[in-house]
């Protein structure tokens, strides 16, 4: 910040202070506004800004697992009004002083951490930088307001390998989930098939029971209406009727079946052996 004016009147701008010397020796601090000095005896040695300033520090170091990273730290600081003398005279270059302490903290902290832990400890690194700077720079008339780790960047090849590792882990998890889904799908399909077969068997059993019950009722009704008939005669008649019904149903197609009387006798014998357990000797005999 420049100081405007001439002769014995000097104007100091807002948020700045001017250091006044008398014959080369520190004399006083000129506050913002109109200041009167003796040009021959007094001179303005310099001007300090009281505004908040920011210093961006870039430091390269390596982690515990030997990965080199570029760390960016932003330090926000300002001059303490009551310690203007220390801020002006005790340090030649305060920015370099702050940068040196940031380097010291980063290069003593990150080598103790692995890369993944370093990303998780950005706040700890920032707090360590601020604590160290606050402890030292206060004596020199500077207040450290904030210290921020704005970037922590490893080499590009390391980034690519980390992305590949992450992608591989996610693909593995996706494969496990897909396999688990396939397993559940197959188990459910097997359960559904077993249930379907069970219900089909129940249906067939009920169908056969209904057929047997119907045959039994038909035999009993026939015996009661036609005197002198036996259950075997009734079964022979039913089989013959069903055989003719079969011929009628398949007659519309091109399927050729043997329909000689011997075929009926053979069919009767097979059914009798299955249901009666004895060999038939003929129909209606």
């Amino acid at each position: 910040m420049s100081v405007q004016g001439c002769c014995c009147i000097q104007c100091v701008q807002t948020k700045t202070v001017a250091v006044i010397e008398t014959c080369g020796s520190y004399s006083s601090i000129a506050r913002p506004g109109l200041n009167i000095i003796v040009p021959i005896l007094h001179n303005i040695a310099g001007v300090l800004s009281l505004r908040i300033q920011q210093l961006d520090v870039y430091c390269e170091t390596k982690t515990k697992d030997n990965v080199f990273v570029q760390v960016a730290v932003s330090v926000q600081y300002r001059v303490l009004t009551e310690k203007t003398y220390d801020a002006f005279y005790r340090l030649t270059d305060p920015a370099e002083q702050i940068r040196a302490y940031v380097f010291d903290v980063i290069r003593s902290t990150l080598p103790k951490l692995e890369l993944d832990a370093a990303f998780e400890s950005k706040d700890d690194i920032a707090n360590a930088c601020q604590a160290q700077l606050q402890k030292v720079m206060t004596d020199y008339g500077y207040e450290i307001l904030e210290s921020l780790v704005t970037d922590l960047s490893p080499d590009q090849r390391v980034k690519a390998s980390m992305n590949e590792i992450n992608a591989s882990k996610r693909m593995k998890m996706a494969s496990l989930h897909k396999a688990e889904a396939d397993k559940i799908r197959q188990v459910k399909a097997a359960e559904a098939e077993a249930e379907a077969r069970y219900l089909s068997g129940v249906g067939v059993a009920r169908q056969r029971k209904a057929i047997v019950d119907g045959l039994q009722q038909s035999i009993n009704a026939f015996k009661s209406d036609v005197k002198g008939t036996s259950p075997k005669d009734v079964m022979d008649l039913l089989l013959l009727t069903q055989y003719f019904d079969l011929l009628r149903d398949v007659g519309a197609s091109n399927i050729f079946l043997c329909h000689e009387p011997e075929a009926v006798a053979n069919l009767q014998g097979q059914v009798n052996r299955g249901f009666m357990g004895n060999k038939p000797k003929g129909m209606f005999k």
Side-chain angles (χ1 to χ4, degrees):
M1 304 295 294
S2 62
V3 178
Q4 300 176 353
C6 60
C7 300
C8 62
I9 299 177
Q10 297 289 339
C11 294
V12 180
Q13 295 180 358
T14 302
K15 281 295 181 180
T16 59
V17 292
V19 179
I20 299 177
E21 294 180 349
T22 302
C23 299
S25 177
Y26 172 76
S27 174
S28 62
I29 299 296
R31 305 296 177 179
L34 184 65
N35 294 270
I36 300 176
I37 62 175
V38 180
I40 299 177
L41 298 177
H42 301 154
N43 70 294
I44 296 179
V47 178
L48 290 176
S49 174
L50 300 180
R51 298 178 180 177
I52 297 176
Q53 303 177 61
Q54 178 170 308
L55 176 65
D56 295 326
V57 182
Y58 300 93
C59 176
E60 184 179 28
T61 185
K62 74 171 185 175
T63 60
K64 187 176 180 179
D65 46 355
N66 296 322
V67 178
F68 281 87
V69 293
Q70 183 80 16
V71 184
V73 179
S74 296
V75 180
Q76 298 175 355
Y77 65 98
R78 69 181 180 90
V79 176
L80 295 172
T81 307
E82 64 276 13
K83 291 188 175 183
T84 306
Y85 176 87
D86 295 329
F88 186 78
Y89 285 102
R90 295 188 63 183
L91 289 178
T92 303
D93 192 344
E96 287 298 324
Q97 186 82 359
I98 294 174
R99 185 176 286 107
Y101 280 108
V102 172
F103 281 0
D104 179 68
V105 172
I106 292 177
R107 288 175 176 170
S108 62
T109 303
L110 277 182
K112 300 177 183 178
L113 303 173
E114 293 185 354
L115 183 60
D116 293 338
F119 279 100
E120 297 173 359
S121 304
K122 290 177 63 176
D123 292 339
D124 297 336
I125 298 172
N127 293 334
C129 291
Q130 183 174 356
Q132 180 67 16
L133 291 172
Q134 189 70 36
K135 177 181 177 181
V136 175
M137 298 303 294
T138 302
D139 293 338
Y140 294 107
Y142 289 90
E143 179 185 8
I144 306 300
L145 301 176
E146 195 68 58
S147 178
L148 304 172
V149 177
T150 57
D151 189 22
L152 199 154
S153 178
D155 185 79
Q156 190 64 34
R157 291 173 295 179
V158 177
K159 288 183 181 180
S161 62
M162 292 176 66
N163 291 334
E164 290 180 1
I165 292 173
N166 189 28
S168 299
K169 289 182 179 179
R170 293 183 180 276
M171 290 179 63
K172 180 179 178 181
M173 293 178 61
S175 299
L176 291 176
H177 287 302
K178 185 177 182 300
E180 189 67 22
D182 292 340
K183 175 184 175 182
I184 295 174
R185 190 182 300 109
Q186 292 178 4
V187 170
K188 292 300 181 181
E191 292 177 354
E193 183 179 359
E195 184 70 15
R197 290 184 177 181
Y198 169 76
L199 295 177
S200 176
V202 172
V204 172
R206 290 178 178 176
Q207 180 185 13
R208 291 176 178 175
K209 184 177 183 301
I211 293 174
V212 172
D213 292 341
L215 290 175
Q216 183 179 4
Q217 293 176 3
S218 299
I219 292 172
N220 293 332
F222 192 87
K223 287 175 60 179
S224 62
D225 294 338
V226 181
K227 302 299 182 179
T229 58
S230 63
K232 178 179 179 301
D233 296 333
V234 177
M235 286 296 300
D236 291 341
L237 179 60
L238 290 175
L239 288 174
L240 182 61
T241 303
Q242 292 180 358
Y243 177 73
F244 286 137
D245 291 339
L246 175 64
L247 292 178
R248 182 193 61 192
D249 293 337
V250 302
S253 64
N254 295 327
I255 300 177
F256 296 94
L257 298 176
C258 181
H259 56 278
E260 297 177 354
E262 295 179 358
V264 178
N266 292 334
L267 180 61
Q268 174 207 358
Q270 293 176 7
V271 174
N272 285 337
R273 283 194 297 272
F275 286 94
M276 302 288 185
N278 54 357
K279 182 177 180 181
K281 296 181 180 179
M283 299 179 62
F284 307 104
K285 293 182 179 180

